[in-house]
Amino acid sequence: MNREVGFYHGGMTASLVLVANSGDGTITSFRLSVDSLTPLATAEGLTGCSNFVVDDVRNLVHAAIKGEPAAIVTLALDRDSGVLTQISRRDLQGGGLNYVALTRDGSALLGVSYGGGYGISAPVGPDGVGEPVSLISYPNLHSVLPSDDGKFAYFVSLGADLVAQYEIKDDLSLVPLVPATVSAPSGSGPRHLVLNDAQDAVYVLTEFSGEVLHFARDRERGTLTLRGSSTAFDTSAGLGHGLIGVDPRKDHLIWGADLHLGAGGETLWASERSESTLAALSVSADGTVAAPRQFTVTEPQPRGFALSPDGRHLVAAGEQSTTVSLYAVDGDDLSVVDRVETGHGANWVRFV
């Protein structure tokens, strides 16, 4: 599994890019060719779609949508045309999911709800996502990620400043590890996480303090231990410390968003929405991270972005923009090579 873009790559070359446009309730598909993006198709009727995950082997997209009731919609992807066709819907009674992830070769789905404060594990079959097996509860859950072997899962609670750690049993039930949680700094607002290729480190981006936290991971027991941190925002921009429930745009506060690991695992890429920047943090051999040396101004309010599996391209979307930018990646330098129209409120990107 490619942890950075959240899909099962199956050895194929990524040539499609999918972008969720929450304002329009759509997912737009693009063809990536050399240094250009060509729009292909737009799937509609996905109210408030804010996150989705792709099963690249089965060509399925599982999208979290909002509304009454909220749901997980499964769509079939035609790789030639880029067309997405809905094949199933699983309604959710506790509120919409903010993040979904696949594990166990696409046969299981994990999800979290920020507003509902719950997380789930559920089976996935030919007809889509089944009834949830486990339900967990923490305030303002923001993301979840499984280990590569499908034995463990990590749920990030922005509201409680912690990462909850679980064993995934054969029946997909979630059993807390000992300890059940590991703390992030108070008031930091942990948001998104990635695991490194060796599976011995977890990195978490915080929304309010704009840090990348480095957790060492015991590969046998699955437990995490906080080892260090580094700033991931432009400290010269005069940003104040973020707070839950406060508008960061009005008060010019830190507003960390998305985090991805570059090819080879030597770079972590992070986005910050108040200054609309992308930044690269270097990762040393022992797993420690260093603060960015430079920042690239990108699409306004970049909640989501993604890197191609080979690390040569990055696509960034902005919640306050109707375009996405395609960058060529050279170390920690980004060069715009294309910019194309997408929908309103673009907030999530996947390479396929």
Side-chain angles (χ1 to χ4, degrees):
M1 174 182 172
N2 185 309
R3 291 168 302 284
E4 286 312 290
V5 293
F7 65 89
Y8 295 89
H9 192 257
M12 294 183 291
T13 300
S15 60
L16 294 179
V17 176
L18 303 183
V19 178
N21 310 296
S22 64
D24 294 338
T26 62
I27 296 177
T28 300
S29 61
F30 301 88
R31 178 77 64 194
L32 171 64
S33 178
V34 189
D35 284 338
S36 66
L37 288 174
T38 302
L40 296 178
T42 297
E44 300 181 344
L46 304 171
T47 305
C49 180
S50 60
N51 189 264
F52 62 90
V53 66
V54 181
D55 182 338
D56 194 63
V57 172
R58 298 170 183 83
N59 290 325
L60 296 177
V61 174
H62 305 288
I65 67 170
K66 298 178 181 178
E68 294 296 338
I72 305 171
V73 171
T74 298
L75 307 104
L77 171 65
D78 184 306
R79 286 185 165 273
D80 293 329
S81 65
V83 170
L84 290 164
T85 304
Q86 182 174 328
I87 60 174
S88 72
R89 174 188 174 109
R90 168 65 58 181
D91 287 345
L92 302 166
Q93 302 304 316
L97 298 179
N98 288 75
Y99 199 103
V100 286
L102 290 172
T103 187
R104 301 195 176 179
D105 295 324
S107 66
L109 179 140
L110 305 170
V112 296
S113 172
Y114 183 89
Y118 72 91
I120 60 169
S121 61
V124 179
D127 298 325
V129 179
E131 188 72 27
V133 172
S134 274
L135 181 71
I136 68 163
S137 179
Y138 284 98
N140 305 119
L141 284 163
H142 213 301
S143 65
V144 58
L145 206 63
S147 57
D148 266 9
D149 57 15
K151 295 180 179 180
F152 302 97
Y154 304 93
F155 291 78
V156 180
S157 169
L158 180 146
D161 291 319
L162 60 80
V163 179
Q165 42 195 15
Y166 291 86
E167 180 183 2
I168 308 173
K169 293 295 189 178
D170 289 343
D171 64 356
L172 303 184
S173 60
L174 299 169
V175 177
L177 299 181
V178 179
T181 65
V182 58
S183 295
S186 178
S188 62
R191 180 181 170 94
H192 281 179
L193 76 161
V194 296
L195 282 84
N196 68 348
D197 290 339
Q199 299 284 282
D200 60 4
V202 169
Y203 298 97
V204 178
L205 178 67
T206 64
E207 181 167 334
F208 303 137
S209 61
E211 300 172 272
V212 170
L213 309 177
H214 168 213
F215 292 90
R217 177 176 180 268
D218 186 312
R219 289 182 290 189
E220 296 299 320
R221 299 176 58 239
T223 51
L224 307 180
T225 304
L226 183 60
R227 294 299 189 204
S229 65
S230 174
T231 57
F233 69 99
D234 186 354
T235 57
S236 69
L239 293 166
H241 195 288
L243 295 169
I244 195 165
V246 175
D247 186 349
R249 295 164 296 187
K250 178 181 177 182
D251 298 318
H252 198 223
L253 305 178
I254 299 167
W255 201 10
D258 204 2
L259 181 71
H260 294 282
L261 195 63
E266 297 178 351
T267 305
L268 280 162
W269 289 90
S271 64
E272 195 282 320
R273 286 179 284 181
S274 286
E275 288 291 310
S276 296
T277 58
L278 297 168
L281 295 81
S282 61
V283 181
S284 65
D286 65 0
T288 58
V289 292
R293 296 179 299 175
Q294 61 184 357
F295 299 87
T296 300
V297 176
T298 187
E299 299 288 337
Q301 209 169 295
R303 181 178 182 182
F305 69 96
L307 287 127
S308 60
D310 61 10
R312 295 174 57 189
H313 291 95
L314 182 152
V315 173
E319 293 175 297
Q320 297 298 317
S321 174
T322 59
T323 59
V324 291
S325 290
L326 173 66
Y327 295 92
V329 180
D330 182 9
D332 57 4
D333 290 324
L334 297 177
S335 301
V336 176
V337 292
D338 201 6
R339 180 172 286 119
V340 294
E341 288 289 329
T342 187
H344 293 84
N347 60 0
W348 200 249
V349 183
R350 301 277 193 190
F351 279 83
V352 181

